[in-house]
Amino acid sequence: METKRLRRPQQPAPAPDSEREGPFWAASAAAGRKPPRLMHLHPSTALLLLASLLLICIALSGAHRSFPLDRLRAKGGLENGTFPSLGGPKDRLLHGLLAAGFDEQSCLSRYQSVLYRKESPHVPSSYLVEKLRNYEALHKKCGPNTELYKKAVEQLKSDHGTQSTECNYVIWISYSGLGNKMLSIASAFLYALLTNRVLFIDRGFDMADLFCEPFPESSWLLPLDFPINEFDTFDMKTPKSYGNMLKDKVIGNGDDGTSTHSLPDYIYLHLSHDYGDYDKLFFCEDDQRFLRFVPWLLLRSNNYFVPSLFMIPTYEEELKHLFPEKDTVFHHLGRYLFHPTNSVWGLITRYYQSYLANADERVGIQVRTFETDAGPFQYVLDQILACTQKAKLLPDASGQDTVVSTPKTKSKAVLMTSLNSGYSENIRNMYWEHPTVTGEIISVYQPSHEGYQQTEKQMHDMKALAEIYLLSLTDALVTSAWSTFGYVAQGLGGLRPWILFKPENHTAPDPPCRQAMSIEPCFHAPPFYDCKAKTGADTGALVPYVRHCEDMSWGLKVVDQNEW
């Protein structure tokens, strides 16, 4: 995990001169009357008329990016945290991705995020929208405090795992840094959709403080009285892990997926980076047929294991309907699941409005190094500058002082996130001390510089989520190799970032970066096994829509095979 930044919305067109143009003036002129002068109106009425004109202009101009919410609220246009819909419910609900009917005050980000982000070119399929509505009904039916949930828990306590249940569950165990958590939750949720299971998340240290509830009328947080609570002890050596139970022949499955032994009351799925060969059989079709009979699956992972789900034949057709654009899985599921709480949303919006909102363009740069020393490192700074100039994201700084900006000069806000402040300070000073060759005005901002990663420290994680979200609001993005922090930002924003290659021997690589093949995250620890042939294989060459990652040669990512 790492940490940092944001972006700004297009300014709304100014309201027309209230005395000489606009709908009020036109209507009066047509009636042969002198147009009313707002200065003769009561001040509160005048403010309401001005706010109405402003909203009409925004709607007509199709301004999908945000406008300064605080300014409109100050004029009386926003009350109690609500906001006017721009483009109607279809935009607010992201083409049906989000369910209507939530209490907006309880989670402002759910419906306000549309004001800060460009409209995504990736529209969720009608099949995915229907699937989500069906899942929400299932979650409400089988969620906490329901009779079916209580029945399933009683069966779990009684150790009668062989009894069939109407509701089956997958429990995500809180583990690792924030970026890894978000990637593994999205993976677990996709698995729940594919297997008709209900997802619960272990609240860990601060999950409830970071994210709003995503499902209507029911919680996704695992109830505190759940009978299994020793999650901190679960690891690759846990006897009830799927891999260990297979290896020790405690369980077995036939070719048709039926069990050759009695079923356990639950199975622990260890899908973290250190999992073994038997654990990896989770991604084989026969093993999936067996696991469908187990009512409770407890899953611990720090990986985005979606690419390997795409290679299980059982799910191939379903995934094709859910995601016709195959490389939009995290983009859609991330925007569906991850709504920052009001506390985090305040961090995001205050920073955005203060520093990013007025720029013509926003560039996000996420810096993550894996050196033991804190840095900053000159070779990393050189790499950042070489990449941003090669990609034409930032201009070169001129050695002369004769470049003069004009009132129409383009401005760029650079949002940098890093545990170290040295990189942003150097770039900020460079653009302060020297004009750009293009005349552009470059502003550089960094919300925090925590020094080192502080996993499961509440304010650290809140800042990290705010910075991830801010990066996702930029127009162009540069990320660091191997960084799950960057993967989440690109996925939420629907951005194909320029990826800074991992330096070797303290030297800036040449080329410094390349643009990603897709907006999907990378699966860092995939299995290299052909389940059908039952032999080792290059899983990055089995299907055309799963390739090796740009930044990690052994990793896997989903691409749209129509484009690559």
Side-chain angles (χ1 to χ4, degrees), residues 173-184:
I173 297 174
S174 183
Y175 164 61
S176 196
L178 180 60
N180 302 73
K181 287 177 179 177
M182 295 175 73
L183 296 179
S184 60

Side-chain angles (χ1 to χ4, degrees), residues 4-9 11 66-71 73 78 81 83 107-117 339-358 362 415 447 462-463 465-473:
K4 292 22 171 185
R5 303 318 158 222
L6 217 9
R7 142 182 119 163
R8 140 205 168 189
Q11 294 295 324
S66 99
F67 55 94
L69 293 175
D70 291 338
R71 297 180 200 172
R73 185 178 286 113
L78 289 174
F83 65 99
C107 185
L108 297 172
S109 66
R110 187 188 312 278
Y111 298 130
Q112 286 187 6
S113 63
V114 69
L115 298 177
Y116 289 82
R117 198 186 295 285
H339 306 290
T341 58
N342 288 351
S343 296
V344 179
W345 189 239
L347 295 175
I348 295 166
T349 55
R350 287 191 296 272
Y351 199 91
Y352 186 89
Q353 295 297 333
S354 297
Y355 302 108
L356 305 177
N358 293 319
R362 285 149 295 278
L415 178 72
M462 290 175 70
K463 290 179 180 178
L465 177 57
E467 290 178 335
I468 287 174
Y469 206 95
L470 286 169
L471 286 172
S472 79
L473 298 176

Side-chain angles (χ1 to χ4, degrees), residues 151-166:
K151 180 180 178 182
V153 168
E154 286 304 314
Q155 178 178 316
L156 176 63
K157 291 178 179 178
S158 68
D159 198 23
H160 293 157
T162 55
Q163 293 183 0
S164 62
T165 57
E166 190 170 347

Side-chain angles (χ1 to χ4, degrees), residues 423-471:
Y423 303 108
S424 62
E425 290 172 357
N426 274 280
I427 295 175
R428 181 188 301 116
N429 289 338
M430 181 183 76
Y431 285 118
W432 178 35
E433 295 168 1
H434 305 286
T436 61
V437 295
T438 60
E440 293 173 292
I441 301 299
I442 308 298
S443 303
V444 182
Y445 306 102
Q446 178 170 339
S448 71
H449 41 88
E450 300 285 278
Y452 62 96
Q453 185 170 327
Q454 303 166 50
T455 300
E456 296 203 338
K457 181 180 177 182
Q458 184 184 32
M459 182 50 69
H460 178 84
D461 282 353
M462 290 175 70
K463 290 179 180 178
L465 177 57
E467 290 178 335
I468 287 174
Y469 206 95
L470 286 169
L471 286 172

Side-chain angles (χ1 to χ4, degrees), residues 142-150 200 223 225:
C142 301
N145 301 317
T146 63
E147 290 303 315
L148 290 173
Y149 169 76
K150 293 174 183 177
F200 283 139
D225 60 354

Side-chain angles (χ1 to χ4, degrees), residues 109-339:
S109 66
R110 187 188 312 278
Y111 298 130
Q112 286 187 6
S113 63
V114 69
L115 298 177
Y116 289 82
R117 198 186 295 285
K118 287 180 178 178
E119 185 173 2
S120 173
H122 308 290
V123 177
S125 68
S126 58
Y127 189 82
L128 173 60
V129 170
E130 181 182 6
K131 189 81 172 181
L132 292 174
R133 298 295 89 81
N134 290 339
Y135 174 83
E136 291 160 3
L138 176 68
H139 198 100
K140 182 179 177 181
K141 171 183 169 185
C142 301
N145 301 317
T146 63
E147 290 303 315
L148 290 173
Y149 169 76
K150 293 174 183 177
K151 180 180 178 182
V153 168
E154 286 304 314
Q155 178 178 316
L156 176 63
K157 291 178 179 178
S158 68
D159 198 23
H160 293 157
T162 55
Q163 293 183 0
S164 62
T165 57
E166 190 170 347
C167 300
N168 294 323
Y169 300 86
V170 56
I171 297 173
W172 173 87
I173 297 174
S174 183
Y175 164 61
S176 196
L178 180 60
N180 302 73
K181 287 177 179 177
M182 295 175 73
L183 296 179
S184 60
I185 288 174
S187 304
F189 181 62
L190 177 59
Y191 183 66
L193 289 180
L194 294 172
T195 57
N196 203 39
R197 290 179 179 270
V198 172
L199 172 70
F200 283 139
I201 67 166
D202 164 30
R203 64 192 72 207
F205 179 75
D206 59 3
M207 293 303 291
D209 299 315
L210 296 175
F211 301 107
C212 302
E213 295 281 0
F215 312 132
E217 300 181 64
S218 187
S219 177
W220 70 338
L221 296 174
L222 182 67
L224 292 173
D225 60 354
F226 187 70
I228 302 171
N229 53 24
E230 65 272 18
F231 293 149
D232 288 344
T233 67
F234 283 22
D235 59 22
M236 62 186 300
K237 297 178 181 179
T238 298
K240 294 199 74 167
S241 75
Y242 185 59
N244 287 328
M245 294 177 83
L246 283 176
K247 184 171 62 176
D248 298 337
K249 300 188 182 340
V250 175
I251 58 173
N253 57 287
D255 292 338
D256 60 353
T258 57
S259 175
T260 57
H261 298 73
S262 61
L263 286 172
D265 48 345
Y266 74 89
I267 284 180
Y268 164 57
L269 302 172
H270 186 76
L271 301 182
S272 296
H273 65 281
D274 58 352
Y275 62 163
D277 291 340
Y278 283 95
D279 296 307
K280 295 174 184 178
L281 293 176
F282 169 82
F283 296 109
C284 291
E285 185 158 345
D286 290 345
D287 296 81
Q288 282 300 310
R289 284 201 294 263
F290 167 76
L291 288 169
R292 69 185 176 186
F293 296 108
V294 181
W296 293 94
L297 298 178
L298 281 58
L299 186 152
R300 185 176 189 258
S301 177
N302 57 358
N303 276 305
Y304 183 70
F305 55 82
V306 166
S308 287
L309 295 179
F310 269 85
M311 291 187 285
I312 301 175
T314 300
Y315 306 137
E316 186 176 7
E317 194 68 19
E318 182 77 353
L319 285 167
K320 183 171 70 174
H321 292 303
L322 288 171
F323 304 103
E325 291 180 278
K326 289 184 170 62
D327 59 348
T328 60
V329 177
F330 187 81
H331 181 58
H332 292 317
L333 297 187
R335 292 186 307 154
Y336 174 77
L337 291 171
F338 302 122
H339 306 290

